[in-house]
Amino acid sequence: MEVSQKEMAFIGSLKGFKHFECHLRGKEEMTILINNNDGSTLESHSATLYLLGCYSRHNKPYVWIRSHLEKQQNFGQSKDASYPLPLRCIRTAPHELPKIREVIAELVIRNSSVPVQPFEIDFDQFTSMSPVSALLSTAAMIVFLKSIYVNSENDNEVAQVYPDLQKLIEFHFRYVSLV
């Protein structure tokens, strides 16, 4: 579980995703706010809140829905929020630890009514930051997208992140000249 907790801490510190945002709640928990309005900006009143737990006493991460309980039907579950969601990425590999990015990707995809690239970048978030914050945030995001690009076995996922990775690298080096 330590590997999942480290991945959760890294992803939880990233800013700039279009379809979701994460907030760490200590070492073992993270909330994930996922956009319900496909293609528009993320607003807390119209987003679904999930709780991701990577508890040391369990051998896999668990996810609970915390708002918009009607969304549980997207996961084949009743409106009882006390049970973890039956995510495909967790069930299909019971003896393997799913990557936290796979859990988030499944949540984003199943939360959306149209096909989305789960890790699509919202470049407007970086332009509203100070140059130093934007530089640091884009560098961290490049590391994340590069890890998907290099390590993913899913060609579709690689093809989806590549355009944003390229654009983000260019964006990042524009900020280098400002700092």
Side-chain angles (χ1 to χ4, degrees):
M1 270 323 266
E2 188 177 329
V3 172
S4 291
Q5 290 172 344
K6 286 180 180 180
E7 184 187 8
M8 183 175 69
F10 177 62
I11 294 173
S13 68
L14 296 174
K15 302 294 177 224
F17 293 110
K18 183 174 184 176
H19 302 293
F20 70 95
E21 63 183 46
C22 298
H23 301 278
L24 293 169
R25 290 178 37 154
K27 178 182 173 185
E28 298 181 321
E29 293 183 338
M30 178 171 70
T31 58
I32 307 164
L33 195 62
I34 299 180
N35 197 351
N36 289 335
N37 300 326
D38 301 315
S40 62
T41 58
L42 188 64
E43 297 174 11
S44 61
H45 69 277
S46 64
T48 302
L49 182 66
Y50 295 90
L51 174 66
L52 170 64
C54 290
Y55 305 111
S56 297
R57 66 183 174 273
H58 298 294
N59 62 349
K60 60 184 174 183
Y62 289 98
V63 178
W64 293 267
I65 192 165
R66 291 296 179 238
S67 70
H68 294 85
L69 297 183
E70 69 279 0
K71 290 278 186 180
Q72 282 188 281
Q73 295 169 349
N74 294 355
F75 299 92
Q77 188 170 348
S78 68
K79 290 187 179 182
D80 187 353
S82 61
Y83 294 102
L85 295 173
L87 298 179
R88 212 173 294 128
C89 65
I90 295 173
R91 287 183 294 135
T92 56
H95 301 292
E96 292 179 31
L97 199 57
K99 292 178 174 57
I100 299 303
R101 70 174 171 81
E102 293 170 347
V103 172
I104 294 171
E106 183 173 343
L107 289 172
V108 171
I109 290 167
R110 292 179 83 174
N111 203 70
S112 178
S113 60
V114 298
V116 295
Q117 194 280 78
F119 301 109
E120 185 176 353
I121 303 301
D122 180 1
F123 288 92
D124 290 340
Q125 288 189 41
F126 299 121
T127 58
S128 66
M129 297 177 183
S130 72
V132 172
S133 293
L135 182 69
L136 295 172
S137 294
T138 56
M141 187 66 80
I142 288 168
V143 169
F144 175 71
L145 292 181
K146 183 180 171 221
S147 74
I148 294 174
Y149 182 76
V150 171
N151 299 318
S152 180
E153 297 174 8
N154 181 336
D155 291 340
N156 186 39
E157 184 178 45
V158 169
Q160 287 180 337
V161 300
Y162 185 70
D164 274 352
L165 178 58
Q166 276 189 307
K167 186 175 177 183
L168 194 59
I169 290 169
E170 292 170 12
F171 198 83
H172 175 77
F173 282 105
R174 267 189 270 141
Y175 273 97
V176 168
S177 65
L178 298 175
V179 177

